[in-house]
Amino acid sequence: MAKIFCIANQKGGVGKTTTTVNLAAGLAKAGQRVLLVDLDPQGNATMGSGIDKRQLELSVYDVLLESASIAEAVVKAEKCGYDVLSANRELAGAEVELVQLEHRDQRLKTALAAVDGDYDFVLIDCPPSLSMLTLNGLCSAHGVIVPMQCEYFALEGLTDLVNTIKQVHANLNKDLKIIGLLRVMFDPRVTLQMQVSDQLKAHFGDKVFDTVIPRNVRLAEAPSYGLPGVVFDPSAKGSQAYVEFACEMVKRAPTL
Ligand code: ADP
Ligand code: MG
């Protein structure tokens, strides 16, 4: 049975997509069968996996509207070692079209059930909002991975997400929980970041992942080559950290 995780945070630019593609590549390196689901109409995870979002025959949009199955719509990210259910701007329309449909929040869950045996991990890259798309992700998942920067308002920003997860857990998906908070773009020389990191650990305990992802320019350069940092430059500090994070996830997975 596949472990299904959303990478979510309603803030933009916090490292969701970077975490999704690099964790996917790290898990693939560790021999895991991985499906990456791009749920963001910006299609950054799609492009960052080397798939041209302007030339998709089928995408997650078709899956949500039930005009294609995942098996039909999935594309292999050859150099990355994982499969991608890709996205482009068309997906923004799904938000509106879904409103009129039945079981609109369960579409992705139903589609994923058909490929459950084909993957060890399914990673869902969510858009920076708590929209119908994100809700489809949260209804499908066993848990949420929250990438966050250790900044002054980090804890406040978490409140909305934690409340949404609680509501989805209570009403729609009994499985859902926070798997962990991942500290990203971390710079230990910045005193404030160390302080916020300590606060996070005090507040959330073992819900804070052991692995810390440093700020590393190679991770930011990789998407322009259509590759996750882990594949683009495996020796970079940031790539090594994501490989370590993948190992932490493999270790934790049986208990999740
Ligand atoms: P989100 O998906 O949450 O909007 P992204 O993953 O796209 O965030 O990251 C936002 C920006 O920060 C991107 O330009 C990305 O390349 C950069 N970035 C993400 N993580 C790191 C990191 N660890 N070090 C340096 N740059 C990073
Ligand atoms: Mg993104």
Side-chain angles (χ1 to χ4, degrees):
M1 208 181 89
K3 294 283 180 196
I4 305 174
F5 301 128
C6 280
I7 292 70
N9 187 323
Q10 77 282 11
K11 281 179 74 177
V14 292
K16 289 182 293 296
T17 300
T18 306
T19 296
T20 310
V21 297
N22 282 288
L23 177 57
L27 288 169
K29 274 197 182 193
Q32 304 292 309
R33 299 168 303 160
V34 183
L35 171 64
L36 185 159
V37 178
D38 191 352
L39 262 193
D40 188 339
Q42 292 185 74
N44 293 343
T46 299
M47 296 293 277
S49 303
I51 295 156
D52 191 344
K53 66 180 177 184
R54 291 155 300 197
Q55 298 187 0
L56 304 177
E57 279 174 31
L58 292 168
S59 71
V60 68
Y61 171 84
D62 302 282
V63 170
L64 290 174
L65 292 179
E66 292 181 347
S67 57
S69 67
I70 291 183
E72 287 165 338
V74 89
V75 183
K76 261 203 181 340
E78 297 284 354
K79 293 182 186 151
C80 309
Y82 54 83
D83 286 355
V84 181
L85 181 57
S86 44
N88 57 24
R89 287 191 57 189
E90 203 180 20
L91 182 58
E95 188 83 43
V96 181
E97 289 166 66
L98 281 171
V99 168
Q100 304 147 31
L101 304 176
E102 269 182 61
H103 307 300
R104 55 181 179 262
D105 46 14
Q106 304 289 330
R107 296 286 174 124
L108 183 62
K109 183 187 169 87
T110 308
L112 281 171
V115 294
D116 195 54
D118 300 339
Y119 299 102
D120 301 306
F121 287 91
V122 177
L123 303 179
I124 305 172
D125 186 26
C126 290
S129 62
L130 301 171
S131 60
M132 184 54 66
L133 293 170
T134 301
L135 195 58
N136 259 275
L138 295 176
C139 284
S140 318
H142 300 117
V144 185
I145 295 169
V146 185
M148 55 186 306
Q149 288 172 259
C150 291
E151 287 173 343
Y152 186 61
F153 289 115
L155 280 169
E156 267 179 51
L158 269 183
T159 314
D160 286 343
L161 183 62
V162 169
N163 284 338
T164 303
I165 291 170
K166 274 189 190 150
Q167 277 182 22
V168 174
H169 171 87
N171 299 307
L172 297 164
N173 178 4
K174 286 270 169 289
D175 288 344
L176 192 68
K177 56 180 173 287
I178 292 190
I179 302 295
L181 307 176
L182 179 66
R183 292 163 285 175
V184 299
M185 299 190 223
F186 195 75
D187 184 347
R189 291 167 304 182
V190 180
T191 311
L192 177 66
Q193 293 207 8
M194 287 300 283
Q195 285 169 351
V196 173
S197 174
D198 288 343
Q199 273 179 6
L200 273 183
K201 278 194 282 191
H203 217 265
F204 290 95
D206 62 4
K207 288 276 181 202
V208 181
F209 288 112
D210 295 335
T211 310
V212 178
I213 311 296
R215 183 171 285 284
N216 177 218
V217 70
R218 299 299 270 170
L219 291 174
E221 288 168 354
S224 62
Y225 297 86
L227 293 171
V230 164
V231 179
F232 173 61
D233 183 355
S235 65
K237 281 252 174 341
S239 306
Q240 289 176 350
Y242 272 115
V243 167
E244 198 181 307
F245 179 47
C247 294
E248 188 178 351
M249 285 303 298
V250 172
K251 247 183 247 153
R252 281 199 187 202
T255 67
L256 300 172

